Amino acid sequence: MNSQHSSSRPNSSSLKSRFTLGFLRALKRLNRQPSSSSSPPQTVSSPREMCRRYLRIRIAADASMASAVGSRRAWSRALLLKIRSRQSRSSNSSARRVSMKKKCLGEKIKKKKKLKCCKEINKLRKFVPGGEAMDACSLLDEAAHYIRCLNTQVKVMTRIADN
Amino acid sequence: MGSHDNEDMGFQHRNEGTLNCPSSGMSTNPLPEKVSRMAMSSGSIFKPSNAPDPFFGSGWDPLVSLSQSDNFGGSSVASQSEFTNPPYPIAMETQGMSSTSHLVQYPSDSSYVEMVPKLPCFGSGSFSEMVGSFGLPECAGISNPGCVANYNPNRDGGIDRTSTMGTQSLDDRQVSEEGALGSSPNGRRRKRVPESSPNKNAEGELNKDMSGESSDYLKEQDEKKTKLEENTAANLRGKQAGKQTKENSQSGDAAKDSYIHVRARRGQATNSHSLAERVRREKISERMRLLQELVPGCNKITGKAVMLDEIINYVQSLQQQVEFLSMKLATVNPEVNIDIERILSKDGNLQNMPITAPQFPSLPQTVLDNELQGLFHMGFDSSSNIDSLGQNASRLKPEQ
């Protein structure tokens, strides 16, 4: 799929470019969003603002990354779900439902976890989004793809930040 | 008899504890007699028509009982068991004796080829293999995994025995299996034998795979390969209640059905659970290898735990990098113009990472221009909610 060879192609449909576009778009939105930074070249003054902005940017990065990957991967689906549920936390009900579903699934998966008693594998679950609900085999699969995408993300963000 | 002599030599060459099977075959050996005795006692061993399936699952049981029932003669058995590695010395030997033909040496006559069955693998059930190779009911129930160990003894014993196979097969099921499958595996085996070079060469070839005991492996390997379908069929049998095994084995070479064929390795257990477990383990190690390539500096690491630790550390560090960069981006308030340039540089640099700034304009801009325009339009949209990214996701989906 594209996402696997994306980094080598300038193609607009590559993962990297998709992520870049999405992320930059989000950044623009974020920059225009807060009232304090309405005039572009204005540094955020209060640390609280900065912190909020940082969080938003981080979420934007993750979300745009997951969007660029799409729903093909379990981890991107889980990540998008998490973000959306967090966004809709204000509405509460949907978030709760989502979290409940995750819990049930997680319990079912505990059996699989026990089968694979490797502790490291369980540790890895925490880092890969959606890793709780996967068995060891697919977890490693998702981890490989996730690492690739993280690499892309870091490269793109480095370029943005360095520019 | 000349061939037999060769076999003998091969035996000795191959195995320390050669049985010293006389060229005359089974008859001369005391063992075969016992085997035949056992065979008789065990009942309709050879009858291919016997319903083999029930035995498959039990694996070694019949063998054990056989061995126990008939004491072949400790010494001879012991000597035979020397070759065979591990697990089923006695059982194998008896089988080996019976099967005569066994694997033995490739260069030996084609007659051996027929004999070569995969006797040894009693345990699991890939009788199909056994049957195939023998054509005789003899040690039918040899499935690959168990076979390896079995091969050795059988081979040694069996070389000479070629002819008298019929009588010796140990297990009923084996017999039945063999009978059913006999033809195809034999054909395959024949192919194998001529391909393989004389004993020594064959050994060299085979040794690469296994611990390289000797020619035993060669034969086993070849047979295993030939019998892959059969073995898998047999292996699968355990998993699937044996329904497909027969069919698979009978289909012979063309047996690559929808199943994932697994070959049991030497000295490994062959029940369905361990086979499934092994498949799972192989999958996991395959994925670990892929991960190893992704994570830098992990080429030298061997071992799952250490590797996983490295992977975890790497993922953690990547995530921290993303956080740090987003913090940096938060503090540095990017300008709109800069964004465009970044896009340019980014897309331009997608092809070649190290690009100096002045070269940006020279990069293909036509494509970028389109993207830029799109970006501008998008960027100035009113939607400030990150949820819109979700919408973008749905929009992007079709592209993927």
Side-chain angles (χ1 to χ4, degrees):
Chain A
M1 303 293 293
N2 284 343
S3 59
Q4 293 174 7
H5 305 285
S6 62
S7 56
S8 54
R9 275 188 280 132
N11 200 339
S12 61
S13 64
S14 73
L15 173 74
K16 199 166 185 177
S17 40
R18 284 202 303 268
F19 166 67
T20 310
L21 285 179
F23 187 50
L24 287 172
R25 238 179 274 138
L27 273 184
K28 276 202 200 323
R29 238 180 278 124
L30 282 172
N31 287 340
R32 297 175 63 237
Q33 186 183 3
S35 56
S36 61
S37 57
S38 56
S39 50
Q42 192 177 4
T43 55
V44 179
S45 48
S46 68
R48 200 162 158 218
E49 274 288 331
M50 195 154 65
C51 191
R52 211 178 296 157
R53 211 173 117 77
Y54 149 69
L55 287 173
R56 288 205 193 112
I57 287 182
R58 197 185 65 187
I59 292 174
D62 288 341
S64 54
M65 189 76 223
S67 308
V69 170
S71 311
R72 279 170 297 151
R73 285 283 166 175
W75 68 265
S76 66
R77 288 194 295 268
L79 194 55
L80 282 172
L81 199 61
K82 186 169 68 171
I83 291 173
R84 285 179 201 159
S85 68
R86 205 187 296 172
Q87 290 298 317
S88 62
R89 212 184 303 169
S90 53
S91 58
N92 279 349
S93 55
S94 56
R96 268 194 227 124
R97 268 185 243 126
V98 167
S99 57
M100 292 294 280
K101 276 188 198 165
K102 276 189 178 174
K103 269 186 212 166
C104 298
L105 189 55
E107 281 159 17
K108 271 189 228 166
I109 301 302
K110 292 237 171 89
K111 281 187 201 167
K112 282 190 188 170
K113 281 194 220 170
K114 278 176 195 163
L115 286 179
K116 181 72 182 183
C117 55
C118 196
K119 287 184 186 170
E120 280 82 12
I121 296 253
N122 290 338
K123 275 193 237 164
L124 188 60
R125 283 178 208 274
K126 297 180 197 158
F127 291 102
V128 176
E132 301 287 327
M134 286 188 239
D135 59 325
C137 208
S138 44
L139 178 68
L140 291 177
D141 223 5
E142 297 286 324
H145 189 260
Y146 184 58
I147 286 176
R148 232 177 280 148
C149 294
L150 274 179
N151 267 324
T152 313
Q153 194 175 13
V154 166
K155 281 184 203 155
V156 169
M157 289 177 73
T158 318
R159 286 188 176 281
I160 292 184
D162 285 346
N163 172 56
Chain B
M1 298 321 238
S3 62
H4 290 297
D5 292 340
N6 289 340
E7 294 170 2
D8 287 342
M9 308 224 346
F11 271 137
Q12 291 160 6
H13 178 77
R14 284 179 296 108
N15 309 302
E16 310 84 292
T18 56
L19 299 174
N20 189 16
C21 310
S23 57
S24 59
M26 324 266 309
S27 53
T28 55
N29 276 353
L31 290 175
E33 291 168 0
K34 291 191 186 163
V35 175
S36 56
R37 245 195 316 130
M38 285 201 9
M40 308 301 240
S41 59
S42 60
S44 57
I45 298 182
F46 315 130
K47 285 142 199 175
S49 57
N50 287 352
D53 288 342
F55 286 101
F56 290 9
S58 53
W60 289 103
D61 294 345
L63 287 180
V64 172
S65 60
L66 282 174
S67 58
Q68 287 168 1
S69 59
D70 296 42
N71 236 348
F72 284 107
S75 59
S76 57
V77 171
S79 64
Q80 283 187 349
S81 57
E82 284 175 19
F83 333 105
T84 51
N85 305 336
Y88 323 103
I90 293 183
M92 289 192 292
E93 301 208 338
T94 55
Q95 291 178 349
M97 312 253 251
S98 54
S99 57
T100 64
S101 59
H102 308 299
L103 321 176
V104 192
Q105 299 137 355
Y106 315 109
S108 34
D109 300 349
S110 59
S111 61
Y112 290 115
V113 181
E114 303 170 6
M115 310 273 215
V116 180
K118 301 222 179 163
L119 295 177
C121 311
F122 287 102
S124 33
S126 53
F127 292 125
S128 59
E129 298 178 33
M130 293 292 301
V131 177
S133 58
F134 286 108
L136 295 177
E138 295 174 351
C139 310
I142 298 181
S143 53
N144 278 332
C147 291
V148 177
N150 295 334
Y151 276 126
N152 292 333
N154 291 336
R155 254 193 301 172
D156 299 330
I159 292 181
D160 295 324
R161 318 294 173 15
T162 60
S163 52
T164 56
M165 318 238 255
T167 53
Q168 281 118 17
S169 60
L170 300 177
D171 298 342
D172 298 349
R173 57 183 170 181
Q174 295 172 349
V175 173
S176 55
E177 285 300 319
E178 288 172 353
L181 303 174
S183 54
S184 53
N186 284 339
R188 266 179 294 183
R189 204 177 295 275
R190 288 204 191 94
K191 276 191 248 163
R192 284 291 179 169
V193 169
E195 288 169 4
S196 61
S197 45
N199 294 347
K200 283 141 197 180
N201 296 341
E203 294 174 10
E205 291 163 5
L206 287 183
N207 283 343
K208 65 181 183 228
D209 281 324
M210 306 293 247
S211 52
E213 290 220 341
S214 58
S215 56
D216 293 350
Y217 280 107
L218 292 178
K219 217 26 168 189
E220 295 165 5
Q221 296 298 329
D222 284 349
E223 290 170 352
K224 277 188 198 169
K225 288 170 195 163
T226 53
K227 295 303 185 318
L228 180 55
E229 288 85 13
E230 291 175 342
N231 288 342
T232 57
N235 294 340
L236 289 172
R237 209 183 338 148
K239 297 180 196 174
Q240 296 142 7
K243 32 184 178 160
Q244 295 103 2
T245 51
K246 269 190 183 164
E247 298 152 7
N248 288 345
S249 59
Q250 285 165 2
S251 61
D253 295 331
K256 304 275 183 183
D257 294 342
S258 56
Y259 305 111
I260 297 173
H261 291 270
V262 178
R263 178 193 301 171
R265 285 194 283 262
R266 182 190 180 92
Q268 292 184 347
T270 57
N271 29 326
S272 59
H273 288 301
S274 33
L275 280 170
E277 185 67 30
R278 189 149 33 85
V279 170
R280 194 169 149 271
R281 273 198 299 255
E282 285 172 1
K283 266 200 222 167
I284 286 181
S285 50
E286 170 79 32
R287 309 242 163 117
M288 291 286 295
R289 258 178 273 139
L290 288 172
L291 277 168
Q292 211 169 11
E293 292 163 18
L294 274 180
V295 179
C298 279
N299 299 329
K300 306 158 195 167
I301 295 179
T302 49
K304 246 179 12 176
V306 185
M307 188 63 219
L308 280 171
D309 275 338
E310 273 298 314
I311 291 171
I312 289 172
N313 287 340
Y314 189 59
V315 171
Q316 227 174 342
S317 75
L318 282 178
Q319 286 176 342
Q320 282 169 0
Q321 259 181 306
V322 169
E323 289 186 14
F324 170 74
L325 283 168
S326 58
M327 176 77 81
K328 194 173 173 187
L329 283 174
T331 57
V332 176
N333 206 355
E335 298 171 357
V336 174
N337 296 332
I338 296 178
D339 284 353
I340 299 173
E341 289 173 16
R342 286 193 199 124
I343 297 168
L344 268 172
S345 64
K346 205 140 334 229
D347 289 348
N349 289 338
L350 283 180
Q351 301 163 9
N352 320 317
M353 294 312 295
I355 285 193
T356 59
Q359 291 177 8
F360 290 158
S362 60
L363 292 172
Q365 291 186 351
T366 53
V367 174
L368 297 173
D369 286 345
N370 295 336
E371 293 181 6
L372 282 176
Q373 289 168 12
L375 184 66
F376 266 117
H377 292 314
M378 303 286 212
F380 289 110
D381 278 350
S382 57
S383 62
S384 59
N385 198 352
I386 292 184
D387 276 350
S388 65
L389 282 173
Q391 296 166 12
N392 291 341
S394 57
R395 196 172 47 77
L396 286 170
K397 269 181 213 170
E399 296 174 26
Q400 299 151 2

